[in-house]
Each structure stands twice: as C-alpha cells, then as structure tokens.
Amino acid sequence: MSASQPVDTGLTRSATFLVFSVLRTDSSIQAVRRVLSSVPDIAKNISIRDVNANLTCVVGIGSRVWDSVTRLPRPAELHPFPEVRGAKQTAISTPGDLLFHIRAERRDMCFELERQLIEKLGDAVQLEDETVGFRYFDARDLLGFVDGTANPVGASDVSDAVMISESDDSGAVGGSYVVVQKYLHDLKAWRALSTEQQEAIIGRTKSDNVELDDADDGQQQAHKTLATIEDASGNEYAVLRDNMPFGSPSAGQYGTYFIAYSRHLWVVEKMMERMFLGNPPGLHDRILDFSTPITGSTFFAPSLRSLKALGDE
Ligand code: HEM
Ligand SMILES: *[C@@H]1O[C@H](CO)[C@@H](O)[C@H](O)[C@H]1NC(C)=O
Ligand SMILES: *[C@@H]1O[C@H](CO)[C@@H](O)[C@H](O)[C@H]1NC(C)=O
C-alpha cells in the first residue's frame, strides 16, 4: 500500500495553481529535488497554524524532467500534453515541468505556502503560470453552473478513479496523472444565450443542477456527455476534477482553471478529443464557442513516499 499525496481533499474556498519550468543544470535539479521532498513538511508547518483551514499541496512533475528530477521508473503513460486541433478551438500544449496545486479554506494559507515555495525554489525554476482561484457561491464556475457534481464520492470510488494500482503500473503505484488547462471565457457572448441554450450546452439545469437526458446519437451532445468515457464493455471511467474560477472583472478576465486527476491518462485525453474534435467529429463541445484554452500541461503526482524520498542522496 502506497499512500497518495493529498489528491482527494476536495474543493476549498481558495486554491493556487503554480506551473514552473526547471532550469536544466545539475544544481537546479538538485535544489528542486530537495524542495519537492520537503513540500509535505512545509505544508504541515503552515497548516498547524490553523488545522481547520485544510491546507494541502499536491506536487506534479512533467515528462521532460521526470527522469532527471525523480530518478524513478517512468510512469507508463507519461508524455507531454498532446495538442488537439479542433475546428473551433485548439487545445494547446504549453511548457510545464512542475505543478503545485495548493488548496485551503483560507487565501492567506495558500499565499504563505506559495511564498515559502518561491523562496526555496529560487532561480532553479522559471514561472510559467500562477493562477489564484476562488470559490464562487455554491461551487459554480463563472458560466454560472455548479462544477464538480459528477466527481466520484467516497474513498474507494475516488481511489478507483485516480490512484494507480500494482496491476496498472508497478513502478508508479499510489500516483496519479494530472492534466491542467487554463480557460478564458467570453462571458458577454455566453450571457447573451438563454438559460435553456446554456443548459443544453452543459447538459444540466442551471439553478438546481439536474442532469438532462443525453442527445440521440449523431446529434449535438452536451459537455457532460462528451466528457463521459466508456470502454467497449460499457465500463465508465471517472476522473477527479477540482476546477476553480479565477479572473478580474476590471480587466475583463473571466476564467476556469481546469484540473483533473486520473489513474489513466488516456481517459482525460479521450475527453479532450471528444470535446475539441466532436463526437461525431464536427460537432465539438459548444462550451468551446465561449471558452479558449490558454495553457495545457500534463504531470504525474507520485506517491507521498516517492515524493519524500526525492531528497535522499
Ligand atoms: C471551460 C472549461 C470547463 C468548464 C466551465 C466545465 C464545466 C463543467 C460543468 C458545469 C459540468 C457539470 C457538472 C459536473 O458534473 O461537474 C462538467 C462536467 C464534466 N466535465 Fe467539464 N468543464 C470544463 C472543461 C472540461 C474539460 C477540459 C474536461 C476533460 C478533459 C471536462 C470533464 C468533465 C467531466 C468528466 C464531467 C462530468 C461528466 C459526467 O459524468 O456527468 N470538463 N464540466
Ligand atoms: C518546520 O518548522 C520547524 C520548526 O519551526 C523547522 O525547524 C523546520 O525546518 C520546518 N520545516 C520546513 C520543511 O520548513
Ligand atoms: C476540512 O476537511 C474535513 C475533511 O474533509 C471536512 O470535514 C471539514 O469540513 C473541512 N473544513 C472546512 C473548514 O471546510
């Protein structure tokens, strides 16, 4: 049994998403190994200042630096985020060697953890993106819909969806693939739609979040249908999403930071293809008529024990 990092802490009021590239010198890689191994302790030191704030941090490591930074076996499916070029939008692939997914009920605790990380990482890394997310009412995205409802619930369903087992990949047990994408919304155009039109795009009702029926085969499918993945025998593959709204009204910036943890990378990639290319091809996810991805990166979050061992010489 290999415990995972705190992947399953659920949505909090506040979250910070940090993506860095690692400078490829021996000293930078050494420094990064030391900092990554101490993340659980840094988080613990801050979290004891208010244990009720549920501060956690998950570390993800990208394909490009996996071998040098971890010296662990390569997770079987790990590769960079593959661009998906659709008719309306392209799911672009952007640089990212390290991901820190910081969550807490208190913004100040996220801030403090980020401050200490930045100080310790120093010039071994280069910032690619920092996004500060917040809870919007009852966990709604900025399109106005409750986001996260279909997530697996309960320890066993969650670990089935996110945690790599011995039989999946014996060198990566207790870890998860993590995919992130930062989206900007055209809220003005979205708000020009009727509530019924918006509901048809998402596949749920807006006020009370009730699932709508799937469209017939060959018809335009809702987001929730395109994002439902089944294998040939009808088994459904769930992922764990912890999306957060972010933005700045004065700058006209309204976004969703998408983050999904999965036991199988192919499941998230299949969702991406169904959304961007459409199913059937040509009928892409209409969310993309109002949402543009500006980042896209894939990481692997190793087990807690593997992470802590990175500091060993
Ligand atoms: C613009 C960005 C996105 C927004 C605003 C968004 C929003 C939503 C909302 C409101 C729901 C319905 C409630 C729920 O079950 O959580 C949903 C469902 C879902 N979304 Fe997204 N989503 C976005 C992007 C993505 C992407 C890129 C993926 C995967 C690659 C994805 C995967 C899913 C899945 C798996 C479900 C649950 C489907 C089900 O089983 O019912 N979403 N999303
Ligand atoms: C945690 O706090 C203790 C006591 O202040 C300190 O000695 C230790 O270095 C801290 N650990 C980390 C990883 O910051
Ligand atoms: C912290 O997490 C626990 C366990 O998931 C939960 O029961 C509790 O409500 C959370 N605390 C806050 C302040 O949300």
Side-chain angles (χ1 to χ4, degrees):
M1 205 38 218
S2 206
S4 60
Q5 293 188 61
V7 166
D8 177 26
T9 39
L11 292 171
T12 45
R13 267 174 205 284
S14 195
T16 303
F17 303 90
L18 294 169
V19 173
F20 295 99
S21 289
V22 175
L23 272 69
R24 310 205 68 188
T25 61
D26 289 348
S27 62
S28 297
I29 287 165
Q30 275 310 321
V32 164
R33 287 169 59 85
R34 267 195 310 276
V35 177
L36 296 190
S37 70
S38 69
V39 165
D41 283 339
I42 301 171
K44 188 170 163 212
N45 269 6
I46 301 168
S47 71
I48 54 179
R49 296 167 75 170
D50 177 2
V51 291
N52 294 321
N54 287 354
L55 174 72
T56 58
C57 179
V58 177
V59 176
I61 302 167
S63 172
R64 193 181 76 121
V65 297
W66 178 267
D67 301 313
S68 58
V69 166
T70 72
R71 301 177 196 156
L72 293 168
R74 259 186 106 72
E77 289 186 84
L78 185 60
H79 54 226
F81 183 98
E83 180 181 285
V84 183
R85 199 179 288 262
K88 173 71 190 179
Q89 295 284 6
T90 294
I92 58 170
S93 176
T94 55
D97 295 330
L98 301 178
L99 167 75
F100 296 92
H101 180 200
I102 305 172
R103 282 178 274 187
E105 295 300 325
R106 289 172 48 167
R107 168 76 189 117
D108 58 346
M109 309 265 297
C110 293
F111 178 96
E112 180 61 15
L113 181 44
E114 176 180 356
R115 189 188 68 74
Q116 293 194 21
L117 282 175
I118 295 276
E119 188 181 285
K120 290 188 161 72
L121 288 165
D123 53 16
V125 297
Q126 181 190 312
L127 182 69
E128 297 292 345
D129 182 63
E130 178 208 46
T131 300
V132 172
F134 56 89
R135 176 178 295 159
Y136 189 55
F137 299 101
D138 43 345
R140 286 173 191 263
D141 53 43
L142 296 182
L143 303 178
F145 285 76
V146 176
D147 196 348
T149 312
N151 269 337
V153 181
S156 99
D157 283 1
V158 172
S159 77
D160 262 3
V162 304
M163 226 165 94
I164 286 158
S165 69
E166 188 68 41
S167 63
D168 295 327
D169 184 356
S170 59
V173 178
S176 302
Y177 295 94
V178 197
V179 177
V180 300
Q181 258 187 330
K182 183 173 179 171
Y183 282 92
L184 295 179
H185 301 300
D186 180 351
L187 264 204
K188 201 167 163 212
W190 176 254
R191 296 180 73 134
L193 300 180
S194 67
T195 300
E196 290 70 24
Q197 286 171 317
Q198 295 178 353
E199 292 176 335
I201 290 173
I202 301 291
R204 287 183 171 268
T205 60
K206 195 169 184 180
S207 74
D208 48 12
N209 191 26
V210 174
E211 201 172 339
L212 302 175
D213 290 339
D214 289 328
D216 292 332
D217 282 350
Q219 304 290 108
Q220 174 68 52
Q221 294 178 358
H223 175 60
K224 63 113 192 192
T225 313
L226 291 167
T228 299
I229 305 300
E230 286 181 357
D231 64 18
S233 356
N235 303 308
E236 223 176 282
Y237 289 85
V239 303
L240 185 66
R241 291 166 294 126
D242 293 297
N243 299 357
M244 293 293 271
F246 67 89
S248 161
S250 65
Q253 190 198 56
Y254 300 97
T256 296
Y257 201 92
F258 167 82
I259 179 167
Y261 289 93
S262 184
R263 176 174 171 183
H264 309 286
L265 183 54
W266 68 263
V267 171
V268 184
E269 292 180 347
K270 189 97 196 153
M271 290 173 179
M272 224 48 97
E273 281 170 19
R274 286 167 56 97
M275 286 177 63
F276 282 76
L277 304 178
N279 181 60
L283 294 181
H284 66 263
D285 192 328
R286 295 295 148 182
I287 255 188
L288 299 174
D289 293 347
F290 307 89
S291 316
T292 305
I294 56 167
T295 73
S297 305
T298 297
F299 304 90
F300 189 80
S303 72
L304 196 55
R305 195 172 53 174
S306 301
L307 182 71
K308 287 182 171 169
L310 295 184
D312 302 348
E313 280 317 316

